[in-house]
């Protein structure tokens, strides 16, 4: 496994087997609170991962024992003028958008606190794996703002408009068991196993066609919110990118020859 640093607080680990990369939040002294510097590093790491054709799945992890990410760095923001906050906005948006727009499947490995912007980073992923210590929520209205990292748009797409409204308006924290019941997380595992389970899922995903994975993610994302007819057109366009690819030819040949595919990735 190799590791590349993006600033002081973010790392990318590329696993030697399986085409899986970890995007690691590594600001343990602040429970991964997202400062301006950290947001810039997340965006930079995502840009690098998005261009790496060898990566087929990304797992978002944390090095802190008791937190995935507690959201925006409010200590930093306490010193901001209005002009400072305005200048910071595109930087922080770049971090959340960077995760959301990764072209390959993404899995968040959540333990401990995932609050505010921390939960929004998880929501930007395709699948959320959480252990029994997880506590999630979007408490922004309790400090005078709103979820600004995609929460007002991603949460209702996950759990429905009414449920999202209740959670955002109340600013309440949701513990792991209820989070699983409400669909705030997708897979619950025993304490301390979130990273292991997320990496295992990512490895299984990454065993499939890289062309197919990227096209399937594109169809899933672009089709959200469209009517059925428009959504099927999105699907058809994505299908056409795979139908005449080397991956499709290899997949069909491997199936008929009863062997494991050797994906060309094109």
């Amino acid at each position: 496994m190799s590791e590349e640093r993006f600033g002081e607080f973010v790392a990318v680990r590329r696993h030697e087997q399986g085409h899986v990369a970890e995007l690691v939040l590594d600001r343990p002294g602040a429970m991964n609170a997202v400062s301006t510097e950290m947001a810039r590093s997340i965006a930079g790491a995502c840009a690098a991962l998005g261009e790496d054709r060898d990566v087929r799945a990304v797992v978002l992890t944390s090095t802190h024992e008791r937190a995935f990410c507690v959201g925006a760095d409010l200590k930093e923001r306490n010193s901001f003028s209005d002009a400072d906050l305005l200048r910071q906005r595109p930087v922080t948006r770049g971090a959340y958008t960077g995760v959301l727009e990764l072209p390959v499947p993404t899995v968040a490995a959540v333990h401990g606190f995932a609050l505010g912007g921390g939960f929004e980073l998880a929501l930007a992923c395709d699948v959320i794996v959480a252990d029994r210590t997880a506590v999630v929520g979007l408490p922004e209205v309790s400090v005078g703002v709103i979820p600004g990292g995609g929460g007002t748009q991603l949460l209702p797409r996950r759990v429905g408009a009414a449920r999202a409204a209740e959670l955002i308006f109340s600013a309440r924290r949701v513990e792991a068991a209820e989070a699983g019941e409400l669909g705030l997380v997708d897979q619950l595992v025993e304490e301390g196993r979130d990273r292991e389970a997320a990496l295992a899922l990512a490895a299984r995903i990454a065993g499939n066609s890289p062309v197919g994975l990227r096209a399937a993610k594109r169809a899933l994302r672009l089709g959200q919110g469209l009517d059925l007819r428009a959504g099927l057109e999105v699907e058809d366009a994505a299908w056409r990118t795979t139908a005449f690819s080397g991956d499709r030819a290899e997949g069909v040949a491997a199936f008929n020859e009863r062997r494991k595919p050797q994906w060309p990735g094109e």
Side-chain angles (χ1 to χ4, degrees), residues 39 43 84-97:
D84 292 332
L85 188 60
L86 190 60
R87 279 192 294 269
Q88 188 203 42
R89 177 60 175 163
V91 178
T92 54
R93 282 196 72 185
Y96 300 108
T97 303

Side-chain angles (χ1 to χ4, degrees), residues 211-227:
V211 172
L213 289 171
R214 287 172 179 252
K217 177 161 181 172
R218 188 163 62 251
L220 284 163
R221 287 290 176 89
L222 293 179
Q224 288 182 0
L226 300 179
D227 63 45

Side-chain angles (χ1 to χ4, degrees), residues 155-212:
L155 190 59
R157 283 169 167 78
R158 174 175 276 273
V159 300
R163 179 67 69 194
E166 182 266 316
L167 292 167
I168 291 171
F169 296 159
S170 69
R172 70 184 180 94
R173 299 180 178 188
V174 182
E175 296 188 359
E178 185 184 4
E181 293 172 359
L182 297 180
L184 299 174
V185 303
D186 302 301
Q187 183 178 342
L188 273 180
V189 297
E190 294 305 311
E191 181 176 345
R193 293 195 60 237
D194 54 292
R195 177 177 176 269
E196 173 190 348
L199 285 170
L201 174 58
R204 180 173 180 176
I205 290 169
N208 295 309
S209 158
V211 172

Side-chain angles (χ1 to χ4, degrees), residues 61-256:
T61 66
S62 160
T63 61
H64 197 283
E65 293 182 355
R66 295 188 297 109
F68 174 73
C69 174
V70 294
D73 186 343
L74 297 184
K75 289 184 179 179
E76 178 189 55
R77 287 193 180 180
N78 191 47
S79 66
F80 277 8
S81 65
D82 288 351
D84 292 332
L85 188 60
L86 190 60
R87 279 192 294 269
Q88 188 203 42
R89 177 60 175 163
V91 178
T92 54
R93 282 196 72 185
Y96 300 108
T97 303
V99 176
L100 184 65
E101 294 185 350
L102 281 168
V104 297
T106 50
V107 183
V110 174
H111 59 265
F113 297 110
L115 301 173
F119 188 38
E120 287 174 304
L121 286 173
L123 289 171
C125 294
D126 299 300
V127 181
I128 302 175
V129 175
D131 81 357
R132 298 287 177 178
T133 70
V135 178
V136 305
L138 296 175
E140 284 87 347
V141 297
S142 70
V143 293
V145 289
I146 68 165
T152 66
Q153 305 306 304
L154 295 171
L155 190 59
R157 283 169 167 78
R158 174 175 276 273
V159 300
R163 179 67 69 194
E166 182 266 316
L167 292 167
I168 291 171
F169 296 159
S170 69
R172 70 184 180 94
R173 299 180 178 188
V174 182
E175 296 188 359
E178 185 184 4
E181 293 172 359
L182 297 180
L184 299 174
V185 303
D186 302 301
Q187 183 178 342
L188 273 180
V189 297
E190 294 305 311
E191 181 176 345
R193 293 195 60 237
D194 54 292
R195 177 177 176 269
E196 173 190 348
L199 285 170
L201 174 58
R204 180 173 180 176
I205 290 169
N208 295 309
S209 158
V211 172
L213 289 171
R214 287 172 179 252
K217 177 161 181 172
R218 188 163 62 251
L220 284 163
R221 287 290 176 89
L222 293 179
Q224 288 182 0
L226 300 179
D227 63 45
L228 180 58
R229 185 181 296 274
L232 290 173
E233 291 303 315
V234 168
E235 181 183 81
D236 184 67
W239 177 85
R240 289 174 185 276
T241 67
T242 64
F244 309 105
S245 68
D247 274 13
R248 185 206 63 83
E250 168 62 10
V252 172
F255 176 83
N256 283 287

